[in-house]
Amino acid sequence: MAAERPISKGQAWFCTTGLPSDVIIEVDDMTFHLHKFPLMSKSRKLHEIITEQENSQEALKLARIRGSSEPDHNSDNDIAEKQEIEEEEDDDAHCHITLPDFPGGSDSFETAAKFCYGVKIDLSAANVAPLRCAAEYLEMTEEYSEENLISKTEKFLSQSVLKNIKLSLKTLTSCEGLLPTAENLGIAQRCIEAIATKAAASDPSLFGWPINDGVTNNKNEANPRRTTRGGAAAAESWLDELGFLSLPFFKSLIFAMRALDVSGEIIESCLIHYAKKFIPGISRTNRKPPPPSSSSSSGIAPTENDQRELLETVIAYLPKEKASRSASNATRFLFGLLRTAYILNASEACRITLEKKIGLQLEQATLDDLLIPSYSYLNETLYDVDCVERILSYFLAGMEDRSAIEGGDENTSVRSAALMLVGKLIDGYLSEIASDANLKPEKFYELAVALPDHARLFDDGLYRAVDVYLKAHSWIPEAEREKICGVLDCQKLTLEACTHAAQNERLPLRAVVQVLFFEQLQLRHAIAGTLISGDGGGGAEGSEEEEEEDHEEENERAVALVARTPEGRGTWIAAARENEVLRSDMDTMRTRVHELERECTNMKKAIEKIDKVGEGGHVEKGGWRAKFGCKFKTQVCDSHEPTVVNTRKPRAHRREQ
């Protein structure tokens, strides 16, 4: 048997042993020239077919012999008939067998034929399923011949493939072209159950997959850090294999995972990787059509209907709850699914499910995620503002639900941080869409006031959006401008924003006056705080509160005055000038106070040093002042210019004393 060499010549396959072939088997478009006895020793099916053909040939041969034994007076005809019989006998020496619909095609039969000849074959995750189905087709059972192909493939499946999650996926992928035989033999179902079981026992922190992926490595066990990195790499390769599954197999796998209560993060990771493989446009970095799967015999990219079916399947299987370790990449993927749902015209229920899912983790989104184009001709705006408004409403509703269920100071702080992140995100979104000329004032106003007051620590971002909107919509009436500016809380504007707003000609007069008075209030508080810190503090809190109330009343009266009288513009100009003077005085005062604080510190150090010396001996009266030449009183840390006092007396007078 060692001398046998299989040779493939075009569409014909020969096994040369020094003996002529006596059986010809056709599988698909390949013709195999083989020998009867090796095949019959391993395959019951081939044994029965060859035996049946040999019996038929013997019966036909006997019939021809009987016919040729009758006398024929024409010797020439007799000679011709004998020659034909000899040619037919030569042809009949070869058995012609055709195997239609052979599992795995000609490649699988070639490997099975080599096994019959005793050639060592290499089993792998890619060929074990086709060979198992081929062995079943050829009836290569253990009862017919020991150590046959069925037992060999089953042993490899149970001991190697089903213990490794990646190999199980490869074998499941190879079952695509073996249906329904692979399903009848339970190969596909066993692979699905093995994958789901491995996933259920996996660690979600490593992309949802096992650390060692079913393979024991002593070196990795000795180094946990290396093991973690190896597990993460294995997880990525595991997920990449998902893209080669057909949609029916993938749905069966997800269904099995859910039946085993696999972590929602793991299921979500599976859905993300599978959708990215087949649906273009989900990721903005790569919008090329996906390559055809290797499991697809046609090699044709999925159609729009196939993509819609896949999209709705992925969305239907997404976990409803928020994952404990959701990352910004997962949120970006969800926004990609939402954009694709609009493009493929998915069902409304599908889009609502996605929007609610995004609303649960909106704080992890970016501004680029929110910029969803308007795919409907009914929307006049460039971006779909209604969609973002719905997502924001789902986020706020989820915050209220979690607040009612969880409670607690720690959870409250976490929710407040998430709310502030969303507040900053929405302000950036408003600034981005504010330049759209088709954006109605009502829509801008509704989105701006949708967030609660405590969602913004400062209103500078919102002021920027208002400024951009007023600049792009200069034609709107004064009443609409005042309504837009009404979303601002002037008390939450920083000093820089107040300074810009006070000089902003696009703002209505009422808003400018409000900003000016609150700016003035901030300046006075800043000056008062500087003076108090320079004077060592002390009991001015009550006066500050009273002063703030007085200024609020003054602000209300001033705004009313501006609204009623044509002289309001003069009031605004006067207030602006007064603010400039106050700002200049405050800067000068800060510089002077810092100088006085440094002088006072130096004096205190000098006094402490002299006091220590005075404990050991007598110090002349006024000696330390004379020594250091200090010309200030002890109390010099105030906001006024220091008074120079000559504490020295003339030498003549001192001598007289």
Side-chain angles (χ1 to χ4, degrees):
M1 302 301 293
E4 297 177 357
R5 293 188 301 108
I7 302 175
S8 179
K9 296 181 179 180
Q11 299 297 318
W13 193 92
F14 296 83
C15 184
T16 59
T17 61
L19 298 175
S21 61
D22 52 8
V23 60
I24 299 175
I25 300 178
E26 295 182 2
V27 178
D28 294 340
D29 56 349
M30 182 71 73
T31 302
F32 295 87
H33 297 263
L34 305 173
H35 304 84
K36 297 178 182 179
F37 293 107
L39 301 178
M40 296 173 66
S41 65
K42 291 292 183 181
S43 172
R44 177 185 282 113
K45 186 178 184 67
L46 292 179
H47 182 277
E48 293 175 352
I49 295 175
I50 293 173
T51 302
E52 183 179 353
Q53 287 196 8
E54 287 180 343
N55 294 334
S56 300
Q57 290 173 4
E58 287 294 333
L60 183 60
K61 185 177 180 180
L62 290 175
R64 288 174 179 174
I65 292 174
R66 291 172 183 172
S68 62
S69 61
E70 297 178 358
D72 191 347
H73 301 286
N74 191 344
S75 60
D76 295 335
N77 293 337
D78 187 35
I79 295 173
E81 288 179 0
K82 288 182 178 180
Q83 291 177 351
E84 291 179 0
I85 291 173
E86 290 177 357
E87 292 177 358
E88 290 178 358
E89 287 178 353
D90 292 337
D91 293 338
D92 291 340
H94 292 79
C95 292
H96 292 267
I97 301 173
T98 301
L99 301 178
D101 300 327
F102 190 83
S106 59
D107 293 336
S108 178
F109 180 81
E110 178 181 342
T111 306
K114 290 179 180 179
F115 178 81
C116 293
Y117 277 89
V119 179
K120 182 180 179 180
I121 61 174
D122 295 326
L123 294 177
S124 65
N127 67 7
V128 65
L131 286 178
R132 174 65 182 87
C133 295
E136 187 71 20
Y137 184 93
L138 296 174
E139 299 180 15
M140 302 173 71
T141 62
E142 197 71 15
E143 293 79 6
Y144 184 75
S145 176
E146 294 182 357
E147 297 183 359
N148 216 337
L149 189 56
I150 288 181
S151 61
K152 188 177 182 65
T153 53
E154 282 290 343
K155 183 178 180 180
F156 184 80
L157 273 172
S158 59
Q159 295 184 359
S160 298
V161 173
L162 299 181
K163 291 185 177 181
N164 187 291
I165 194 168
K166 187 175 180 179
L167 296 181
S168 299
L169 257 178
K170 288 185 177 181
T171 302
L172 180 60
T173 302
S174 67
C175 293
E176 178 66 24
L178 304 173
L179 300 177
T181 307
E183 287 186 343
N184 295 336
L185 295 177
I187 302 175
Q189 187 61 32
R190 281 184 286 170
C191 290
I192 290 174
E193 291 176 356
I195 297 169
T197 303
K198 291 286 185 181
S202 63
D203 182 8
S205 63
L206 295 178
F207 300 93
W209 312 121
I211 293 178
N212 57 9
D213 197 25
V215 179
T216 303
N217 191 329
N218 295 331
K219 294 181 179 180
N220 286 347
E221 289 178 359
N223 191 341
R225 184 176 300 176
R226 183 181 301 175
T227 302
T228 302
R229 291 196 299 267
E236 285 297 322
S237 62
W238 200 106
L239 294 172
D240 292 338
E241 292 294 331
L242 283 173
F244 298 107
L245 291 179
S246 64
L247 183 58
F249 277 163
F250 180 74
K251 291 170 69 174
S252 300
L253 176 59
I254 297 298
F255 183 80
M257 287 184 176
R258 297 180 68 181
L260 292 177
D261 293 331
V262 176
S263 170
E265 297 177 29
I266 298 176
I267 295 178
E268 189 169 326
S269 298
C270 293
L271 295 170
I272 289 175
H273 280 73
Y274 191 79
K276 284 182 177 179
K277 190 80 173 182
F278 291 99
I279 303 178
I282 290 181
S283 176
R284 291 190 171 186
T285 57
N286 183 15
R287 298 196 174 189
K288 296 180 181 180
S293 172
S294 62
S295 62
S296 176
S297 59
S298 61
I300 302 176
T303 63
E304 183 175 329
N305 291 333
D306 295 335
Q307 292 180 10
R308 186 185 301 110
E309 180 185 0
L310 171 59
L311 177 69
E312 293 179 350
T313 300
V314 169
I315 296 174
Y317 285 128
L318 278 174
K320 299 296 187 296
E321 68 279 359
K322 178 181 178 181
S324 58
R325 295 180 64 256
S326 294
S328 58
N329 290 336
T331 306
R332 187 177 299 112
F333 164 76
L334 294 177
F335 275 101
L337 281 182
L338 184 58
R339 287 190 296 268
T340 307
Y342 279 105
I343 294 173
L344 297 177
N345 196 23
S347 62
E348 184 178 357
C350 174
R351 295 196 297 267
I352 291 176
T353 301
L354 262 181
E355 291 174 357
K356 290 182 178 180
K357 175 70 176 176
I358 293 173
L360 292 177
Q361 51 200 60
L362 183 58
E363 70 276 8
Q364 298 169 354
T366 62
L367 178 58
D368 186 61
D369 296 332
L370 291 183
L371 298 177
I372 304 173
S374 295
Y375 296 103
S376 175
Y377 65 91
L378 299 176
N379 293 333
E380 299 178 352
T381 55
L382 178 62
Y383 298 108
D384 196 341
V385 183
D386 293 333
C387 178
V388 175
E389 192 172 359
R390 288 194 300 270
I391 292 174
L392 179 59
S393 66
Y394 294 138
F395 169 78
L396 296 175
M399 291 281 292
E400 292 179 0
D401 294 340
R402 289 194 295 272
S403 178
I405 295 174
E406 297 174 359
D409 296 337
E410 182 178 355
N411 294 326
T412 302
S413 62
V414 173
R415 289 192 297 270
S416 299
L419 186 60
M420 287 187 177
L421 287 174
V422 173
K424 184 178 180 181
L425 180 65
I426 295 299
D427 288 347
Y429 180 75
L430 287 170
S431 300
E432 189 69 27
I433 67 174
S435 58
D436 191 346
N438 294 324
L439 182 62
K440 303 298 183 184
E442 296 81 7
K443 187 61 62 179
F444 182 90
Y445 178 84
E446 290 173 359
L447 186 58
V449 300
L451 286 168
D453 294 337
H454 57 279
R456 298 181 177 94
L457 187 60
F458 297 103
D459 273 10
D460 288 22
L462 186 58
Y463 166 71
R464 187 180 301 109
V466 169
D467 184 36
V468 173
Y469 186 84
L470 294 180
K471 182 179 180 180
H473 301 76
S474 56
W475 61 85
I476 62 175
E478 187 73 13
E480 294 288 348
R481 297 164 72 88
E482 290 186 357
K483 182 179 180 180
I484 294 297
C485 292
V487 303
L488 295 172
D489 185 357
C490 297
Q491 299 184 65
K492 296 169 70 173
L493 294 177
T494 61
L495 194 57
E496 292 77 10
C498 287
T499 303
H500 185 277
Q503 303 172 3
N504 194 343
E505 297 179 355
R506 290 185 287 271
L507 296 181
L509 189 57
R510 177 186 290 270
V512 172
V513 173
Q514 286 181 339
V515 170
L516 283 170
F517 276 98
F518 281 111
E519 181 191 21
Q520 187 180 81
L521 185 61
Q522 289 190 42
L523 288 170
R524 291 183 179 180
H525 285 175
I527 294 174
T530 303
L531 295 178
I532 292 171
S533 63
D535 199 21
E541 297 180 357
S543 60
E544 287 184 5
E545 294 178 357
E546 294 176 359
E547 183 180 0
E548 184 174 354
E549 293 177 358
D550 294 339
H551 280 289
E552 289 180 356
E553 295 178 359
E554 183 180 357
N555 176 30
E556 294 176 358
R557 291 195 299 269
V559 172
L561 175 63
V562 171
R564 291 195 304 266
T565 63
E567 291 80 5
R569 179 65 63 176
T571 305
W572 167 63
I573 295 174
R577 290 176 179 175
E578 184 179 354
N579 285 354
E580 290 294 334
V581 174
L582 284 171
R583 193 178 297 107
S584 177
D585 291 345
M586 186 186 70
D587 293 338
T588 304
M589 190 64 63
R590 283 178 178 172
T591 304
R592 183 57 185 160
V593 168
H594 289 323
E595 293 176 357
L596 293 176
E597 286 178 347
R598 286 195 297 269
E599 189 76 28
C600 185
T601 302
N602 293 335
M603 290 182 63
K604 287 181 179 179
K605 291 180 180 179
I607 292 172
E608 291 175 358
K609 185 176 181 181
I610 293 174
D611 289 341
K612 291 180 181 179
V613 175
E615 293 176 357
H618 177 71
V619 180
E620 183 182 358
K621 182 179 180 182
W624 63 272
R625 293 185 180 180
K627 183 177 180 180
F628 292 96
C630 181
K631 298 182 180 181
F632 298 97
K633 292 182 179 180
T634 304
Q635 298 179 352
V636 295
C637 297
D638 53 22
S639 60
H640 301 286
E641 290 290 337
T643 304
V644 179
V645 180
N646 187 4
T647 57
R648 286 181 171 182
K649 293 184 179 180
R651 291 186 178 181
H653 293 282
R654 293 180 60 185
R655 290 175 182 175
E656 291 176 359
Q657 292 178 355

